[in-house]
PDB file of all heavy atoms in Angstrom:
ATOM      1  N   LYS A 370      13.642  52.946  44.663  1.00 97.00           N
ATOM      2  CA  LYS A 370      14.476  54.108  44.336  1.00 97.00           C
ATOM      3  C   LYS A 370      14.307  55.181  45.407  1.00 97.00           C
ATOM      4  O   LYS A 370      13.187  55.517  45.769  1.00 97.00           O
ATOM      5  CB  LYS A 370      14.083  54.685  42.967  1.00 97.00           C
ATOM      6  CG  LYS A 370      14.303  53.702  41.805  1.00 97.00           C
ATOM      7  CD  LYS A 370      13.924  54.325  40.465  1.00 97.00           C
ATOM      8  CE  LYS A 370      14.141  53.322  39.335  1.00 97.00           C
ATOM      9  NZ  LYS A 370      13.809  53.903  38.026  1.00 97.00           N
ATOM     10  N   LEU A 371      15.453  55.699  45.879  1.00 96.00           N
ATOM     11  CA  LEU A 371      15.448  56.711  46.933  1.00 96.00           C
ATOM     12  C   LEU A 371      16.429  57.815  46.557  1.00 96.00           C
ATOM     13  O   LEU A 371      17.590  57.551  46.292  1.00 96.00           O
ATOM     14  CB  LEU A 371      15.844  56.073  48.269  1.00 96.00           C
ATOM     15  CG  LEU A 371      15.873  57.014  49.487  1.00 96.00           C
ATOM     16  CD1 LEU A 371      14.482  57.591  49.744  1.00 96.00           C
ATOM     17  CD2 LEU A 371      16.391  56.273  50.715  1.00 96.00           C
ATOM     18  N   TYR A 372      15.920  59.050  46.550  1.00 97.00           N
ATOM     19  CA  TYR A 372      16.758  60.229  46.177  1.00 97.00           C
ATOM     20  C   TYR A 372      16.797  61.180  47.368  1.00 97.00           C
ATOM     21  O   TYR A 372      15.764  61.731  47.776  1.00 97.00           O
ATOM     22  CB  TYR A 372      16.162  60.920  44.966  1.00 97.00           C
ATOM     23  CG  TYR A 372      16.054  60.045  43.732  1.00 97.00           C
ATOM     24  CD1 TYR A 372      14.875  59.303  43.518  1.00 97.00           C
ATOM     25  CD2 TYR A 372      17.071  59.924  42.823  1.00 97.00           C
ATOM     26  CE1 TYR A 372      14.757  58.477  42.388  1.00 97.00           C
ATOM     27  CE2 TYR A 372      16.976  59.120  41.694  1.00 97.00           C
ATOM     28  CZ  TYR A 372      15.803  58.397  41.502  1.00 97.00           C
ATOM     29  OH  TYR A 372      15.690  57.585  40.391  1.00 97.00           O
ATOM     30  N   LEU A 373      17.984  61.379  47.910  1.00 95.00           N
ATOM     31  CA  LEU A 373      18.171  62.254  49.080  1.00 95.00           C
ATOM     32  C   LEU A 373      19.316  63.225  48.862  1.00 95.00           C
ATOM     33  O   LEU A 373      19.883  63.722  49.840  1.00 95.00           O
ATOM     34  CB  LEU A 373      18.431  61.404  50.329  1.00 95.00           C
ATOM     35  CG  LEU A 373      17.316  60.498  50.838  1.00 95.00           C
ATOM     36  CD1 LEU A 373      17.814  59.565  51.926  1.00 95.00           C
ATOM     37  CD2 LEU A 373      16.150  61.334  51.353  1.00 95.00           C
ATOM     38  N   SER A 374      19.646  63.537  47.649  1.00 96.00           N
ATOM     39  CA  SER A 374      20.802  64.395  47.370  1.00 96.00           C
ATOM     40  C   SER A 374      20.559  65.807  47.905  1.00 96.00           C
ATOM     41  O   SER A 374      19.438  66.302  47.902  1.00 96.00           O
ATOM     42  CB  SER A 374      21.081  64.447  45.879  1.00 96.00           C
ATOM     43  OG  SER A 374      20.002  65.002  45.165  1.00 96.00           O
ATOM     44  N   ALA A 375      21.638  66.441  48.339  1.00 94.00           N
ATOM     45  CA  ALA A 375      21.619  67.835  48.799  1.00 94.00           C
ATOM     46  C   ALA A 375      20.653  68.049  49.958  1.00 94.00           C
ATOM     47  O   ALA A 375      19.956  69.062  50.030  1.00 94.00           O
ATOM     48  CB  ALA A 375      21.317  68.774  47.645  1.00 94.00           C
ATOM     49  N   THR A 376      20.581  67.113  50.897  1.00 92.00           N
ATOM     50  CA  THR A 376      19.787  67.282  52.093  1.00 92.00           C
ATOM     51  C   THR A 376      20.760  67.327  53.283  1.00 92.00           C
ATOM     52  O   THR A 376      21.933  66.983  53.182  1.00 92.00           O
ATOM     53  CB  THR A 376      18.791  66.112  52.293  1.00 92.00           C
ATOM     54  OG1 THR A 376      19.508  64.863  52.272  1.00 92.00           O
ATOM     55  CG2 THR A 376      17.744  66.101  51.186  1.00 92.00           C
ATOM     56  N   ASN A 377      20.222  67.724  54.448  1.00 90.00           N
ATOM     57  CA  ASN A 377      21.050  67.885  55.655  1.00 90.00           C
ATOM     58  C   ASN A 377      20.805  66.784  56.678  1.00 90.00           C
ATOM     59  O   ASN A 377      20.917  67.019  57.862  1.00 90.00           O
ATOM     60  CB  ASN A 377      20.782  69.262  56.275  1.00 90.00           C
ATOM     61  CG  ASN A 377      21.132  70.398  55.358  1.00 90.00           C
ATOM     62  OD1 ASN A 377      22.172  70.374  54.698  1.00 90.00           O
ATOM     63  ND2 ASN A 377      20.242  71.385  55.270  1.00 90.00           N
ATOM     64  N   VAL A 378      20.444  65.609  56.186  1.00 90.00           N
ATOM     65  CA  VAL A 378      20.152  64.504  57.112  1.00 90.00           C
ATOM     66  C   VAL A 378      21.448  64.012  57.762  1.00 90.00           C
ATOM     67  O   VAL A 378      22.563  64.382  57.359  1.00 90.00           O
ATOM     68  CB  VAL A 378      19.447  63.363  56.357  1.00 90.00           C
ATOM     69  CG1 VAL A 378      18.097  63.818  55.867  1.00 90.00           C
ATOM     70  CG2 VAL A 378      20.298  62.857  55.191  1.00 90.00           C
ATOM     71  N   SER A 379      21.323  63.137  58.720  1.00 90.00           N
ATOM     72  CA  SER A 379      22.455  62.676  59.504  1.00 90.00           C
ATOM     73  C   SER A 379      22.977  61.327  59.021  1.00 90.00           C
ATOM     74  O   SER A 379      22.334  60.627  58.217  1.00 90.00           O
ATOM     75  CB  SER A 379      22.070  62.567  60.970  1.00 90.00           C
ATOM     76  OG  SER A 379      21.086  61.551  61.148  1.00 90.00           O
ATOM     77  N   GLU A 380      24.124  60.967  59.540  1.00 92.00           N
ATOM     78  CA  GLU A 380      24.726  59.668  59.258  1.00 92.00           C
ATOM     79  C   GLU A 380      23.798  58.536  59.715  1.00 92.00           C
ATOM     80  O   GLU A 380      23.576  57.562  58.981  1.00 92.00           O
ATOM     81  CB  GLU A 380      26.081  59.585  59.967  1.00 92.00           C
ATOM     82  CG  GLU A 380      26.795  58.258  59.806  1.00 92.00           C
ATOM     83  CD  GLU A 380      28.045  58.204  60.661  1.00 92.00           C
ATOM     84  OE1 GLU A 380      27.892  58.275  61.900  1.00 92.00           O
ATOM     85  OE2 GLU A 380      29.128  58.071  60.131  1.00 92.00           O
ATOM     86  N   SER A 381      23.232  58.664  60.890  1.00 92.00           N
ATOM     87  CA  SER A 381      22.351  57.628  61.417  1.00 92.00           C
ATOM     88  C   SER A 381      21.087  57.464  60.577  1.00 92.00           C
ATOM     89  O   SER A 381      20.585  56.348  60.426  1.00 92.00           O
ATOM     90  CB  SER A 381      21.951  57.972  62.860  1.00 92.00           C
ATOM     91  OG  SER A 381      23.096  58.088  63.705  1.00 92.00           O
ATOM     92  N   PHE A 382      20.589  58.549  60.030  1.00 91.00           N
ATOM     93  CA  PHE A 382      19.409  58.485  59.173  1.00 91.00           C
ATOM     94  C   PHE A 382      19.688  57.654  57.936  1.00 91.00           C
ATOM     95  O   PHE A 382      18.881  56.805  57.546  1.00 91.00           O
ATOM     96  CB  PHE A 382      19.004  59.915  58.778  1.00 91.00           C
ATOM     97  CG  PHE A 382      17.816  59.962  57.841  1.00 91.00           C
ATOM     98  CD1 PHE A 382      16.514  59.898  58.328  1.00 91.00           C
ATOM     99  CD2 PHE A 382      17.984  60.032  56.469  1.00 91.00           C
ATOM    100  CE1 PHE A 382      15.428  59.956  57.476  1.00 91.00           C
ATOM    101  CE2 PHE A 382      16.915  60.073  55.604  1.00 91.00           C
ATOM    102  CZ  PHE A 382      15.645  60.032  56.106  1.00 91.00           C
ATOM    103  N   LEU A 383      20.835  57.881  57.301  1.00 93.00           N
ATOM    104  CA  LEU A 383      21.138  57.122  56.085  1.00 93.00           C
ATOM    105  C   LEU A 383      21.368  55.638  56.390  1.00 93.00           C
ATOM    106  O   LEU A 383      20.993  54.768  55.606  1.00 93.00           O
ATOM    107  CB  LEU A 383      22.415  57.708  55.432  1.00 93.00           C
ATOM    108  CG  LEU A 383      22.249  59.141  54.888  1.00 93.00           C
ATOM    109  CD1 LEU A 383      23.554  59.626  54.278  1.00 93.00           C
ATOM    110  CD2 LEU A 383      21.131  59.209  53.841  1.00 93.00           C
ATOM    111  N   ILE A 384      21.971  55.349  57.531  1.00 93.00           N
ATOM    112  CA  ILE A 384      22.163  53.962  57.917  1.00 93.00           C
ATOM    113  C   ILE A 384      20.810  53.281  58.160  1.00 93.00           C
ATOM    114  O   ILE A 384      20.573  52.137  57.738  1.00 93.00           O
ATOM    115  CB  ILE A 384      23.046  53.866  59.182  1.00 93.00           C
ATOM    116  CG1 ILE A 384      24.472  54.320  58.858  1.00 93.00           C
ATOM    117  CG2 ILE A 384      23.045  52.454  59.774  1.00 93.00           C
ATOM    118  CD1 ILE A 384      25.381  54.352  60.065  1.00 93.00           C
ATOM    119  N   THR A 385      19.890  53.995  58.794  1.00 92.00           N
ATOM    120  CA  THR A 385      18.537  53.469  59.024  1.00 92.00           C
ATOM    121  C   THR A 385      17.831  53.216  57.713  1.00 92.00           C
ATOM    122  O   THR A 385      17.136  52.204  57.542  1.00 92.00           O
ATOM    123  CB  THR A 385      17.715  54.420  59.915  1.00 92.00           C
ATOM    124  OG1 THR A 385      18.404  54.629  61.139  1.00 92.00           O
ATOM    125  CG2 THR A 385      16.346  53.845  60.214  1.00 92.00           C
ATOM    126  N   CYS A 386      17.971  54.130  56.762  1.00 93.00           N
ATOM    127  CA  CYS A 386      17.340  53.959  55.428  1.00 93.00           C
ATOM    128  C   CYS A 386      17.879  52.709  54.743  1.00 93.00           C
ATOM    129  O   CYS A 386      17.130  51.956  54.115  1.00 93.00           O
ATOM    130  CB  CYS A 386      17.596  55.191  54.559  1.00 93.00           C
ATOM    131  SG  CYS A 386      16.634  56.633  55.023  1.00 93.00           S
ATOM    132  N   SER A 387      19.167  52.465  54.840  1.00 94.00           N
ATOM    133  CA  SER A 387      19.742  51.287  54.197  1.00 94.00           C
ATOM    134  C   SER A 387      19.231  50.017  54.815  1.00 94.00           C
ATOM    135  O   SER A 387      19.149  48.949  54.163  1.00 94.00           O
ATOM    136  CB  SER A 387      21.281  51.333  54.282  1.00 94.00           C
ATOM    137  OG  SER A 387      21.719  51.231  55.599  1.00 94.00           O
ATOM    138  N   GLU A 388      18.873  50.079  56.082  1.00 93.00           N
ATOM    139  CA  GLU A 388      18.321  48.900  56.785  1.00 93.00           C
ATOM    140  C   GLU A 388      16.834  48.735  56.516  1.00 93.00           C
ATOM    141  O   GLU A 388      16.332  47.593  56.432  1.00 93.00           O
ATOM    142  CB  GLU A 388      18.584  49.015  58.292  1.00 93.00           C
ATOM    143  CG  GLU A 388      20.055  49.008  58.654  1.00 93.00           C
ATOM    144  CD  GLU A 388      20.291  49.315  60.104  1.00 93.00           C
ATOM    145  OE1 GLU A 388      19.336  49.772  60.782  1.00 93.00           O
ATOM    146  OE2 GLU A 388      21.435  49.167  60.570  1.00 93.00           O
ATOM    147  N   ASN A 389      16.134  49.856  56.354  1.00 93.00           N
ATOM    148  CA  ASN A 389      14.681  49.776  56.149  1.00 93.00           C
ATOM    149  C   ASN A 389      14.276  49.382  54.710  1.00 93.00           C
ATOM    150  O   ASN A 389      13.222  48.825  54.488  1.00 93.00           O
ATOM    151  CB  ASN A 389      14.040  51.133  56.479  1.00 93.00           C
ATOM    152  CG  ASN A 389      13.922  51.387  57.957  1.00 93.00           C
ATOM    153  OD1 ASN A 389      14.332  50.553  58.763  1.00 93.00           O
ATOM    154  ND2 ASN A 389      13.402  52.534  58.323  1.00 93.00           N
ATOM    155  N   PHE A 390      15.157  49.730  53.759  1.00 94.00           N
ATOM    156  CA  PHE A 390      14.813  49.499  52.349  1.00 94.00           C
ATOM    157  C   PHE A 390      15.850  48.589  51.693  1.00 94.00           C
ATOM    158  O   PHE A 390      16.667  49.012  50.888  1.00 94.00           O
ATOM    159  CB  PHE A 390      14.727  50.835  51.607  1.00 94.00           C
ATOM    160  CG  PHE A 390      13.953  51.902  52.316  1.00 94.00           C
ATOM    161  CD1 PHE A 390      14.502  53.152  52.539  1.00 94.00           C
ATOM    162  CD2 PHE A 390      12.663  51.632  52.715  1.00 94.00           C
ATOM    163  CE1 PHE A 390      13.739  54.121  53.181  1.00 94.00           C
ATOM    164  CE2 PHE A 390      11.899  52.602  53.362  1.00 94.00           C
ATOM    165  CZ  PHE A 390      12.456  53.855  53.622  1.00 94.00           C
ATOM    166  N   PRO A 391      15.814  47.308  52.003  1.00 95.00           N
ATOM    167  CA  PRO A 391      16.882  46.382  51.499  1.00 95.00           C
ATOM    168  C   PRO A 391      16.816  46.088  50.020  1.00 95.00           C
ATOM    169  O   PRO A 391      17.795  45.562  49.475  1.00 95.00           O
ATOM    170  CB  PRO A 391      16.627  45.109  52.338  1.00 95.00           C
ATOM    171  CG  PRO A 391      15.175  45.173  52.692  1.00 95.00           C
ATOM    172  CD  PRO A 391      14.848  46.618  52.863  1.00 95.00           C
ATOM    173  N   ASN A 392      15.707  46.405  49.363  1.00 96.00           N
ATOM    174  CA  ASN A 392      15.599  46.088  47.927  1.00 96.00           C
ATOM    175  C   ASN A 392      15.821  47.293  47.028  1.00 96.00           C
ATOM    176  O   ASN A 392      15.417  47.278  45.856  1.00 96.00           O
ATOM    177  CB  ASN A 392      14.180  45.491  47.653  1.00 96.00           C
ATOM    178  CG  ASN A 392      14.027  44.128  48.257  1.00 96.00           C
ATOM    179  OD1 ASN A 392      14.982  43.394  48.451  1.00 96.00           O
ATOM    180  ND2 ASN A 392      12.786  43.751  48.556  1.00 96.00           N
ATOM    181  N   LEU A 393      16.454  48.326  47.549  1.00 97.00           N
ATOM    182  CA  LEU A 393      16.753  49.480  46.713  1.00 97.00           C
ATOM    183  C   LEU A 393      17.610  49.122  45.511  1.00 97.00           C
ATOM    184  O   LEU A 393      18.614  48.395  45.615  1.00 97.00           O
ATOM    185  CB  LEU A 393      17.475  50.551  47.542  1.00 97.00           C
ATOM    186  CG  LEU A 393      16.654  51.436  48.470  1.00 97.00           C
ATOM    187  CD1 LEU A 393      17.568  52.437  49.174  1.00 97.00           C
ATOM    188  CD2 LEU A 393      15.554  52.174  47.706  1.00 97.00           C
ATOM    189  N   SER A 394      17.249  49.643  44.346  1.00 97.00           N
ATOM    190  CA  SER A 394      18.053  49.501  43.141  1.00 97.00           C
ATOM    191  C   SER A 394      18.729  50.800  42.759  1.00 97.00           C
ATOM    192  O   SER A 394      19.735  50.791  42.053  1.00 97.00           O
ATOM    193  CB  SER A 394      17.201  49.019  41.977  1.00 97.00           C
ATOM    194  OG  SER A 394      16.180  49.961  41.663  1.00 97.00           O
ATOM    195  N   THR A 395      18.194  51.946  43.236  1.00 97.00           N
ATOM    196  CA  THR A 395      18.755  53.244  42.952  1.00 97.00           C
ATOM    197  C   THR A 395      18.848  54.067  44.251  1.00 97.00           C
ATOM    198  O   THR A 395      17.856  54.163  44.991  1.00 97.00           O
ATOM    199  CB  THR A 395      17.904  54.041  41.951  1.00 97.00           C
ATOM    200  OG1 THR A 395      17.851  53.300  40.706  1.00 97.00           O
ATOM    201  CG2 THR A 395      18.499  55.404  41.671  1.00 97.00           C
ATOM    202  N   LEU A 396      20.010  54.611  44.529  1.00 97.00           N
ATOM    203  CA  LEU A 396      20.208  55.433  45.715  1.00 97.00           C
ATOM    204  C   LEU A 396      21.061  56.653  45.344  1.00 97.00           C
ATOM    205  O   LEU A 396      22.174  56.506  44.801  1.00 97.00           O
ATOM    206  CB  LEU A 396      20.908  54.634  46.811  1.00 97.00           C
ATOM    207  CG  LEU A 396      21.242  55.422  48.122  1.00 97.00           C
ATOM    208  CD1 LEU A 396      19.956  55.950  48.745  1.00 97.00           C
ATOM    209  CD2 LEU A 396      22.013  54.548  49.090  1.00 97.00           C
ATOM    210  N   ASP A 397      20.545  57.825  45.589  1.00 97.00           N
ATOM    211  CA  ASP A 397      21.239  59.074  45.315  1.00 97.00           C
ATOM    212  C   ASP A 397      21.396  59.863  46.595  1.00 97.00           C
ATOM    213  O   ASP A 397      20.416  60.388  47.139  1.00 97.00           O
ATOM    214  CB  ASP A 397      20.466  59.911  44.276  1.00 97.00           C
ATOM    215  CG  ASP A 397      21.200  61.174  43.857  1.00 97.00           C
ATOM    216  OD1 ASP A 397      22.284  61.449  44.435  1.00 97.00           O
ATOM    217  OD2 ASP A 397      20.715  61.902  42.973  1.00 97.00           O
ATOM    218  N   ILE A 398      22.630  59.954  47.108  1.00 96.00           N
ATOM    219  CA  ILE A 398      22.928  60.709  48.314  1.00 96.00           C
ATOM    220  C   ILE A 398      24.077  61.665  48.024  1.00 96.00           C
ATOM    221  O   ILE A 398      24.881  61.977  48.913  1.00 96.00           O
ATOM    222  CB  ILE A 398      23.230  59.810  49.519  1.00 96.00           C
ATOM    223  CG1 ILE A 398      24.267  58.738  49.157  1.00 96.00           C
ATOM    224  CG2 ILE A 398      21.972  59.147  50.041  1.00 96.00           C
ATOM    225  CD1 ILE A 398      24.660  57.870  50.316  1.00 96.00           C
ATOM    226  N   GLY A 399      24.173  62.135  46.781  1.00 96.00           N
ATOM    227  CA  GLY A 399      25.209  63.095  46.418  1.00 96.00           C
ATOM    228  C   GLY A 399      24.995  64.432  47.106  1.00 96.00           C
ATOM    229  O   GLY A 399      23.869  64.788  47.493  1.00 96.00           O
ATOM    230  N   TYR A 400      26.078  65.160  47.283  1.00 95.00           N
ATOM    231  CA  TYR A 400      26.069  66.491  47.919  1.00 95.00           C
ATOM    232  C   TYR A 400      25.616  66.455  49.366  1.00 95.00           C
ATOM    233  O   TYR A 400      25.228  67.516  49.901  1.00 95.00           O
ATOM    234  CB  TYR A 400      25.207  67.461  47.097  1.00 95.00           C
ATOM    235  CG  TYR A 400      25.770  67.766  45.745  1.00 95.00           C
ATOM    236  CD1 TYR A 400      25.400  67.015  44.634  1.00 95.00           C
ATOM    237  CD2 TYR A 400      26.704  68.793  45.551  1.00 95.00           C
ATOM    238  CE1 TYR A 400      25.928  67.285  43.358  1.00 95.00           C
ATOM    239  CE2 TYR A 400      27.234  69.081  44.312  1.00 95.00           C
ATOM    240  CZ  TYR A 400      26.848  68.317  43.215  1.00 95.00           C
ATOM    241  OH  TYR A 400      27.334  68.587  41.967  1.00 95.00           O
ATOM    242  N   CYS A 401      25.567  65.291  49.979  1.00 92.00           N
ATOM    243  CA  CYS A 401      25.349  65.230  51.430  1.00 92.00           C
ATOM    244  C   CYS A 401      26.721  65.282  52.095  1.00 92.00           C
ATOM    245  O   CYS A 401      27.291  64.266  52.499  1.00 92.00           O
ATOM    246  CB  CYS A 401      24.601  63.949  51.791  1.00 92.00           C
ATOM    247  SG  CYS A 401      22.928  63.853  51.120  1.00 92.00           S
ATOM    248  N   TYR A 402      27.268  66.470  52.191  1.00 87.00           N
ATOM    249  CA  TYR A 402      28.662  66.644  52.505  1.00 87.00           C
ATOM    250  C   TYR A 402      29.087  66.026  53.832  1.00 87.00           C
ATOM    251  O   TYR A 402      30.138  65.379  53.916  1.00 87.00           O
ATOM    252  CB  TYR A 402      29.011  68.146  52.502  1.00 87.00           C
ATOM    253  CG  TYR A 402      28.703  68.846  51.218  1.00 87.00           C
ATOM    254  CD1 TYR A 402      27.566  69.655  51.099  1.00 87.00           C
ATOM    255  CD2 TYR A 402      29.531  68.744  50.107  1.00 87.00           C
ATOM    256  CE1 TYR A 402      27.284  70.303  49.936  1.00 87.00           C
ATOM    257  CE2 TYR A 402      29.246  69.410  48.912  1.00 87.00           C
ATOM    258  CZ  TYR A 402      28.117  70.190  48.827  1.00 87.00           C
ATOM    259  OH  TYR A 402      27.831  70.830  47.667  1.00 87.00           O
ATOM    260  N   ASN A 403      28.296  66.241  54.871  1.00 84.00           N
ATOM    261  CA  ASN A 403      28.765  65.922  56.218  1.00 84.00           C
ATOM    262  C   ASN A 403      28.218  64.627  56.791  1.00 84.00           C
ATOM    263  O   ASN A 403      28.548  64.280  57.908  1.00 84.00           O
ATOM    264  CB  ASN A 403      28.400  67.090  57.161  1.00 84.00           C
ATOM    265  CG  ASN A 403      29.052  68.386  56.748  1.00 84.00           C
ATOM    266  OD1 ASN A 403      30.207  68.400  56.350  1.00 84.00           O
ATOM    267  ND2 ASN A 403      28.276  69.458  56.811  1.00 84.00           N
ATOM    268  N   CYS A 404      27.357  63.960  56.056  1.00 90.00           N
ATOM    269  CA  CYS A 404      26.717  62.792  56.654  1.00 90.00           C
ATOM    270  C   CYS A 404      27.101  61.449  55.958  1.00 90.00           C
ATOM    271  O   CYS A 404      26.906  60.401  56.525  1.00 90.00           O
ATOM    272  CB  CYS A 404      25.195  62.931  56.621  1.00 90.00           C
ATOM    273  SG  CYS A 404      24.480  63.184  54.993  1.00 90.00           S
TER     274      CYS A 404
END
Side-chain angles (χ1 to χ4, degrees):
K370 298 181 180 180
L371 180 63
Y372 302 90
L373 294 170
S374 63
T376 56
N377 298 316
V378 295
S379 66
E380 177 187 62
S381 301
F382 178 85
L383 294 179
I384 292 176
T385 303
C386 286
S387 67
E388 295 171 349
N389 284 0
F390 312 127
N392 290 334
L393 281 181
S394 61
T395 299
L396 177 62
D397 184 357
I398 49 177
Y400 293 92
C401 295
Y402 302 102
N403 300 318
C404 58

